[in-house]
Amino acid sequence: MNRLFADDLRDRPSYAWAEAGRLVGLHPARVRRWLRGNDYRHADAVRHQAPVVRRQGARRTSYASFLDLVDLLFVKLFLDHGVSLQRVRAALREAFEITGTTRALRETFFTDGSDIYVKVRHAGDAILELLSGGQWTIAPVIQQLSAQIEFDPPGGLARRWYPLGRGGHVVLDPLVCFGRPVVVGRRVATANVYDLFRAEHERVEAVRAWWDLTDSEVEAAVKFERQLAA
């Protein structure tokens, strides 16, 4: 499969707002605002708030792509670590200007903190100032995401997301099952594993036999789906 086709699949609308929110842990309305922006009234005028995540072209679809999905994850994790959305917006604007990229989630952000620090220092420490002690703020996010995201070496964009970590048996890959969460190397959707698990009165051995999975694969799929439902 050539790289162009692979890149197109990664940026193809695949996840409805509700599904994207379920996977990332955001309300669907917030997913929509972050991807499409929103109108608001100020005094007597209606103004438009720009999207948080920059997308390719003027896309008005109600679906997120795989790359949109991981960018949403990137922004959410910064917010979870105490960075305000306003600061994230400002930091991303600076990052886009420095790197010339339209994507937040790139390998250059996650190699290690020193790489980011060196690049930012050449631009006047802009991002570190915006993130208020960026070395300490960025580090936990880098550690968390580096364990989950696999990047495409030539382009530096995300290619796979392992939401339970690299050894967690669950992956989202836009080239496998239309990017749905599956058991690694099995092409079995975690939702199907979980449905059968419940139908079989939560007997791991029954699910294992039906799908020819290991106990750890069944348990990982169940854990993942329960986290989504929590």
Side-chain angles (χ1 to χ4, degrees), residues 93-217:
R93 283 197 299 270
E94 298 287 352
F96 296 147
E97 292 173 5
I98 293 168
T99 65
T101 182
T102 58
R103 284 293 175 185
L105 198 69
R106 293 187 76 92
E107 191 171 22
T108 51
F109 285 89
F110 300 96
T111 51
D112 58 49
S114 62
D115 281 349
I116 296 173
Y117 183 69
V118 169
K119 290 182 179 180
V120 173
R121 282 181 67 91
H122 292 166
D125 293 340
I127 293 178
L128 289 180
E129 290 180 7
L130 287 167
L131 293 182
S132 183
Q135 283 181 291
W136 300 107
T137 302
I138 291 173
V141 180
I142 292 173
Q143 293 168 358
Q144 185 171 347
L145 284 181
S146 64
Q148 296 183 16
I149 303 297
E150 179 181 335
F151 293 94
D152 180 29
L157 291 172
R159 62 184 301 179
R160 296 185 184 94
W161 173 24
Y162 298 87
L164 300 181
R166 300 293 182 94
H169 299 297
V170 176
V171 66
L172 282 76
D173 183 334
L175 305 183
V176 177
C177 296
F178 304 100
R180 296 301 180 259
V182 298
V183 178
V184 175
R186 301 288 196 171
R187 293 179 177 267
V188 178
T190 57
N192 292 343
V193 174
Y194 186 56
D195 287 345
L196 183 59
F197 176 75
R198 296 181 64 188
E200 291 289 345
H201 307 288
E202 302 192 355
R203 292 187 300 120
V204 171
E205 63 274 12
V207 181
R208 179 190 64 209
W210 182 267
W211 294 111
D212 191 25
L213 300 173
T214 66
D215 286 356
S216 59
E217 288 171 337

